[in-house]
Amino acid sequence: MDEKNEDRDPVTEDWFTICKEKFINLSPSKKSAVILNLIDICDTTARYSLLTACSQALHCDILAAMPQIALDKILGLLSVPDILNACKVSRKWNKCISQSKYVWKKKWLEMGVGSSGDQKEYHKRDWKEDCITAQGLYHKIDERKALDYDLDVFNDSLITGYISALDYCNGKLVICKFSCDSGGSVFSQQGPDWNHLCSFPVNHHGYPSIVRFLSSNLLIIGCSNGKITIWRFFGLKPALSHEVKLLHSCHGHTSIVLSVDGCEELGVAVSGSRDARVKVWCLKNGNCLKTIDYSSPVLQVSFFCGENSLMKEYNFMLIHSSEKVFLQFWKHDANWLKNDLEKLCIINDANTLPGIHIKNGTLYYCTVSMINGLQHTDFNCKNLNLTAIVGNHNEPLSHNDQVFTFQGIFRKLMQVGLAFSLLIADDNIMAIDIRKGSILFKEYVPYSVATSPTLPQITVGAGKWLNGLLHVRQCGMLLALAIYGRNLTLISWAPSLPEFSFKED
């Protein structure tokens, strides 16, 4: 036998091997008893070291030890509620998950709560906090608790006749009535409350069918007898009194006016009528400067000039007749009132609904087709090739991408943002997620058909939330106004946004 083997003490050198072999064969209860006895015979220092070593061996945090790339990949497969529940497991988990900006940004984009422009301030944005707020709001929408309703917002002394036209701009609401003794009124919004500012006698000029309140405090009102009246709203200082002053009364249309718009930068107002004509009016003297004839009634006419222009060198005018949609354009320095405008037909579909919108070079519209006796609506977005619009017709003008398809009776596309759009369907107002092609919410609203069944008198107020839910204000944000007769319904976001319950250990 080797000399080294003779000198080896098996009790001190091989005790761990012997104990391990015996310990493995013990029952669970005996294993626990051995460990407790071992702890009891240790002194304080040894006991602390033993417990620390056991804790590290038995409670290894897999998530905390995981590489960041693997963690991001796993979290990316989970929903936002599941990720938030994982944050509640422990402070360590919450810290690891919260530091993953990649995951929270990805979920923020998947939820569609913000616009692409909101991503610019990447390092300043709290992606997790945004996701928590949006998740709470989505939860509130699912429970149909996101909207508040207020019927008969204004008392009968201020609304004595049937409401025939209304518009909202920069916190001010203009209501025009069909009555014998009064005409229009202007109200201001202060949170959930409304203050009456002034009234003016619209009905001396025929009952109003459409009103457009511009940000420059210019009012353009189209009437049932074809007249156009141009007004100026004055807010006097100190703001104790206000007035609306008639600037011009314009004559020229032979049928009801269905759409009006204006541009003070160009010094003109424009109107479209059932007589299939578009007329351009001078804001200085009220004279008719230009008349454009079409083959069918004009449902919509809109300016895209100055900062709102599609291209810096050009001004644009969108014309929606009951048969087609045209885009007419001219250079800034061109004498467009005397010369013929370049005209391009961009939609050749007689089933296009009112409410054509252009956002960031994308044209949004709705079409209606009859399928099996039902009115079937396809919600499509159309990307315009601006190079082709200004003359290079050899390039393809545009292409259609179908965003959403569903069945129902539809009336008007009210407003479009970067993330959502508002659509009037039957007696409902619907918010459509144009990214996912899904319904965000659907709520009942009454509507008026005082002027035309295709032009319900509903106006959208502060619409910045259409660019993403995170733009929703916490109180007093006007969503939509709907009327039926002399009643007015105010629909707004609920006063407080829900908080997603979250507590750390």
Side-chain angles (χ1 to χ4, degrees):
M1 182 177 290
D2 193 354
E3 184 176 351
K4 291 183 179 180
N5 291 337
E6 291 180 354
D7 296 338
R8 186 175 64 178
D9 186 356
V11 176
T12 57
E13 188 171 336
D14 298 332
W15 69 271
F16 179 77
T17 303
I18 298 172
C19 291
K20 180 180 179 181
E21 293 175 352
K22 293 183 177 180
F23 186 81
I24 292 175
N25 297 322
L26 295 177
S27 64
S29 60
K30 290 184 178 181
K31 288 180 180 179
S32 299
V34 170
I35 294 175
L36 292 175
N37 290 332
L38 181 63
I39 294 174
D40 288 338
I41 63 176
C42 292
D43 57 23
T44 304
T45 303
R47 185 179 301 175
Y48 175 79
S49 300
L50 179 61
L51 292 176
T52 301
C54 290
S55 175
Q56 293 176 350
L58 297 176
H59 299 283
C60 179
D61 195 323
I62 299 177
L63 186 141
M66 188 177 298
Q68 189 65 43
I69 296 178
L71 177 61
D72 290 347
K73 189 171 183 179
I74 293 174
L75 293 176
L77 300 175
L78 302 178
S79 64
V80 172
D82 290 338
I83 296 177
L84 293 175
N85 286 332
C87 289
K88 301 176 185 178
V89 172
S90 66
R91 286 187 176 90
K92 187 174 290 185
W93 279 41
N94 179 43
K95 182 179 180 180
C96 293
I97 297 174
S98 299
Q99 289 177 344
S100 181
K101 289 186 177 182
Y102 169 79
V103 171
W104 291 113
K105 180 182 179 181
K106 180 181 178 181
K107 294 303 174 182
W108 183 84
L109 293 172
E110 289 178 358
M111 295 175 75
V113 295
S115 65
S116 57
D118 297 328
Q119 302 181 50
K120 294 180 180 179
E121 298 182 355
Y122 176 83
H123 297 290
K124 298 180 181 180
R125 178 173 292 280
D126 189 338
W127 303 101
K128 177 186 175 183
E129 186 64 29
D130 286 349
C131 287
I132 291 175
T133 302
Q135 181 60 36
L137 189 52
Y138 272 121
H139 180 69
K140 199 168 186 180
I141 290 174
D142 291 339
E143 292 185 344
R144 302 182 69 85
K145 296 179 180 179
L147 304 178
D148 281 347
Y149 300 85
D150 191 359
L151 300 175
D152 299 328
V153 178
F154 307 111
N155 56 48
D156 291 338
S157 63
L158 295 178
I159 301 182
T160 56
Y162 286 94
I163 302 173
S164 60
L166 75 167
D167 195 23
Y168 176 94
C169 181
N170 292 340
K172 295 183 180 63
L173 173 70
V174 178
I175 296 178
C176 295
K177 297 154 285 183
F178 177 35
S179 60
C180 298
D181 56 350
S182 63
S185 298
V186 182
F187 299 84
S188 66
Q189 182 188 17
Q190 296 180 349
D193 300 323
W194 293 87
N195 297 323
H196 176 255
L197 300 180
C198 61
S199 297
F200 53 102
V202 177
N203 291 325
H204 293 297
H205 308 274
Y207 89 80
S209 56
I210 190 73
V211 59
R212 182 84 164 87
F213 191 12
L214 304 181
S215 57
S216 58
N217 287 338
L218 194 70
L219 281 84
I220 306 172
I221 301 176
C223 300
S224 59
N225 58 7
K227 292 182 180 179
I228 303 294
T229 53
I230 302 173
W231 310 72
R232 174 78 68 183
F233 172 78
F234 294 94
L236 305 180
K237 295 182 180 181
L240 300 177
S241 60
H242 303 79
E243 67 176 3
V244 176
K245 182 179 179 181
L246 177 64
L247 301 181
H248 309 291
S249 180
C250 310
H251 305 263
H253 288 295
T254 58
S255 185
I256 185 173
V257 179
L258 299 178
S259 179
V260 292
D261 200 1
C263 178
E264 283 207 282
E265 184 177 343
L266 299 178
V268 297
V270 64
S271 59
S273 170
R274 190 172 287 170
D275 63 8
R277 289 179 175 175
V278 168
K279 288 185 174 290
V280 181
W281 310 92
C282 178
L283 293 180
K284 291 184 178 180
N285 53 33
N287 293 336
C288 181
L289 302 177
K290 193 178 188 68
T291 299
I292 308 174
D293 294 321
Y294 295 89
S295 59
S296 59
V298 178
L299 304 179
Q300 177 183 345
V301 54
S302 302
F303 274 127
F304 295 92
C305 305
E307 295 181 355
N308 297 322
S309 179
L310 303 178
M311 296 184 68
K312 293 182 179 180
E313 297 179 357
Y314 289 84
N315 293 319
F316 294 84
M317 187 165 57
L318 179 72
I319 308 295
H320 178 203
S321 71
S322 59
E323 295 178 348
K324 300 178 181 180
V325 177
F326 300 94
L327 197 62
Q328 303 199 247
F329 54 93
W330 63 94
K331 288 190 175 181
H332 290 313
D333 55 355
N335 191 351
W336 66 285
L337 293 173
K338 293 184 179 180
N339 301 328
D340 292 334
L341 304 180
E342 293 192 59
K343 182 169 67 173
L344 187 63
C345 179
I346 54 178
I347 301 177
N348 188 6
D349 189 344
N351 295 317
T352 302
L353 292 179
I356 310 294
H357 296 271
I358 294 179
K359 288 285 186 179
N360 296 335
T362 301
L363 184 142
Y364 298 86
Y365 66 99
C366 292
T367 59
V368 178
S369 58
M370 299 294 293
I371 299 179
N372 297 327
L374 297 174
Q375 285 188 334
H376 184 81
T377 296
D378 297 331
F379 184 79
N380 304 288
C381 65
K382 190 169 187 177
N383 298 322
L384 300 180
N385 187 324
L386 299 184
T387 304
I389 288 179
V390 296
N392 190 357
H393 299 288
N394 294 324
E395 295 187 13
L397 171 64
S398 60
H399 64 274
N400 291 326
D401 292 327
Q402 182 170 294
V403 178
F404 196 55
T405 302
F406 49 95
Q407 293 184 346
I409 300 174
F410 298 91
R411 298 184 175 275
K412 190 175 185 180
L413 176 62
M414 294 303 302
Q415 200 174 94
V416 173
L418 298 176
F420 310 107
S421 66
L422 279 178
L423 190 69
I424 303 300
D426 296 323
D427 292 346
N428 297 282
I429 187 166
M430 303 173 65
I432 308 299
D433 188 330
I434 60 178
R435 298 175 175 182
K436 300 178 180 179
S438 59
I439 299 176
L440 180 65
F441 60 78
K442 180 178 180 181
E443 300 293 341
Y444 169 79
V445 293
Y447 59 85
S448 169
V449 292
T451 54
S452 170
T454 60
L455 297 173
Q457 295 302 315
I458 299 175
T459 186
V460 179
K464 191 175 181 181
W465 68 274
L466 293 168
N467 294 334
L469 287 180
L470 296 182
H471 295 288
V472 173
R473 300 176 187 176
Q474 293 198 3
C475 61
M477 196 210 80
L478 181 65
L479 171 65
L481 288 164
I483 61 172
Y484 185 77
R486 66 183 60 185
N487 298 323
L488 188 146
T489 303
L490 173 65
I491 305 175
S492 59
W493 288 102
S496 61
L497 295 180
E499 295 291 338
F500 192 92
S501 59
F502 175 79
K503 292 182 180 179
E504 296 182 349
D505 292 344

